[in-house]
Amino acid sequence: MKLRLATCALMITAAFAATGANAQDKKALAFVVNGASDFWKLAEAGVKKAQEELPNYDLQFKYPEQAAAAVQQRLMDDLVAAGVSAVMVSAVDPKSSTDALNKVGAQVPLFTTDSDAPDTNRIAYIGSSNTDAGKQAGEIALKALPDGGKCIGFVGLPGADNARERIEGMKSVIAGSKVELVDVRGDDIDMTRAKRNVEDALAANPDIDCMVGFYSYNPPRIYEVLKESGKLGEITIVAFDEDPITLGGVKEGTIAATVVQQPYEWGYQGMKLMAKYLEGDKSMVPDNKLVIVPTKIIDKANVDAFEAELKARIGG
């Protein structure tokens, strides 16, 4: 009996060892975001879908503890030290992080998403054209404000390329019109500060005509403040992304429209792109190193169909 038990124990130990070895044999691919936000749920769903099709890889989705370049950098350094084979990142502040990002890129293939870092040694960027997205926001504002008006914008990370390009894109479309973007306030992806920015802007500019939320959580904070102040429906809201509050506002007509990206595709296509690259297939990386996933405008006419598609992708 003792011999039989000892044999069983050895077999179980061997089985666990084999399982551990198989896990270690898998190359790890990491998707690192810029901060905690519901916006990233779709990207995470895309990564999970890619995992089903890439059983020989370990796909990881990582949130930094806070939206700070130094914190994000430590997370990536830890991933590289733990043996990750490639990293895709939405850089918090690419302008000030060139050396740090290059350090990661010198050790493993580095890809960017959402917010590019074109001055680094990244292999490619996969995501939206934030300039085009900004232009679409400008189109929404022009349509919603035919007689013109003054707008104030709100954004998480003013120094990030995705923020800067959206703002510049919007300005390029409204240039020469009677619509103006007179100010943009940053919040460092701090929800409390994001709401306070709207409250402060409204108090200082009671006659403002339009508010623009450049990051996914900014339109809901605008919506909340305007509703609490009795201004909802009086001030035009131009939105980005597909927060449920934003889509609800589009449905009821209190938000003019929202410019949506396709973060699900960033996660799905991005993981497959990295896996192919590690396998030696570089055909998916274009000469300009930009894999652009188009943005689109969601308004009252197409919001229901869009919402149904979202629910299907994230499982309800």
Side-chain angles (χ1 to χ4, degrees):
M1 178 64 74
K2 287 182 179 179
L3 179 60
R4 210 175 304 163
L5 289 172
T7 302
C8 288
L10 285 170
M11 290 174 67
I12 292 170
T13 301
F16 275 114
T19 301
N22 287 338
Q24 289 176 355
D25 287 343
K26 291 184 178 182
K27 290 182 177 179
L29 309 179
F31 191 118
V32 179
V33 305
N34 57 8
S37 170
D38 286 347
F39 169 78
W40 290 112
K41 287 181 179 178
L42 277 167
E44 191 167 5
V47 170
K48 288 179 180 177
K49 177 63 177 177
Q51 180 69 85
E52 295 174 7
E53 300 177 21
L54 297 170
N56 296 325
Y57 290 87
D58 174 24
L59 307 187
Q60 303 177 11
F61 199 89
K62 299 291 185 179
Y63 291 86
E65 293 178 1
Q66 66 184 91
V71 175
Q72 186 183 60
Q73 186 62 40
R74 282 197 299 272
L75 173 58
M76 289 191 289
D77 289 342
D78 289 345
L79 287 168
V80 172
V84 74
S85 296
V87 173
M88 178 168 287
V89 62
S90 172
V92 169
D93 189 357
K95 296 296 185 219
S96 66
S97 305
T98 299
D99 291 342
L101 290 167
N102 281 340
K103 177 186 172 185
V104 175
Q107 298 173 84
V108 298
L110 177 68
F111 294 76
T112 54
T113 187
D114 182 43
S115 180
D116 196 10
D119 296 329
T120 67
N121 57 8
R122 61 101 166 101
I123 304 298
Y125 164 81
I126 179 168
S128 305
S129 166
N130 286 293
T131 299
D132 289 347
K135 290 178 178 179
Q136 288 174 316
E139 292 168 9
I140 295 170
L142 289 175
K143 183 177 179 180
L145 297 164
D147 298 323
K150 292 184 178 181
C151 302
I152 294 178
F154 304 90
V155 73
L157 303 166
D161 278 7
N162 60 354
R164 180 181 54 78
E165 290 171 2
R166 290 176 195 183
I167 294 165
E168 290 176 357
M170 181 175 183
K171 285 182 175 180
S172 72
V173 168
I174 63 176
S177 75
K178 293 181 180 180
V179 176
E180 299 178 76
L181 184 63
V182 297
D183 188 18
V184 178
R185 303 186 178 202
D187 54 58
D188 293 325
I189 315 186
D190 180 324
M191 301 303 122
T192 301
R193 185 176 164 194
K195 185 175 182 180
R196 188 169 62 248
N197 279 352
V198 182
E199 293 169 339
D200 292 347
L202 185 60
N205 303 273
D207 297 325
I208 196 71
D209 303 292
C210 164
M211 291 185 170
V212 185
F214 285 101
Y215 273 15
S216 63
Y217 58 85
N218 292 125
R221 303 296 83 77
I222 295 170
Y223 182 97
E224 291 167 2
V225 172
L226 294 185
K227 187 173 183 179
E228 290 167 4
S229 64
K231 295 276 190 176
L232 189 63
E234 296 179 16
I235 295 175
T236 295
I237 304 174
V238 177
F240 275 78
D241 301 315
E242 60 285 310
D243 185 278
I245 293 175
T246 300
L247 296 180
V250 172
K251 281 184 180 183
E252 69 185 20
T254 53
I255 294 179
T258 186
V259 180
V260 300
Q261 307 176 84
Q262 299 190 62
Y264 178 94
E265 295 299 333
W266 307 349
Y268 176 70
Q269 293 185 34
M271 294 297 103
K272 301 195 80 172
L273 172 64
M274 288 202 290
K276 287 286 187 184
Y277 188 89
L278 289 175
E279 292 163 8
D281 181 358
K282 301 179 182 179
S283 62
M284 295 175 70
V285 178
D287 291 340
N288 66 0
K289 299 183 178 181
L290 300 175
V291 181
I292 300 301
V293 181
T295 54
K296 52 188 176 181
I297 294 174
I298 301 300
D299 57 21
K300 206 166 185 178
N302 60 1
V303 64
D304 288 333
F306 176 74
E307 196 168 41
E309 179 186 346
L310 285 184
K311 288 181 178 179
R313 282 185 158 176
I314 61 176

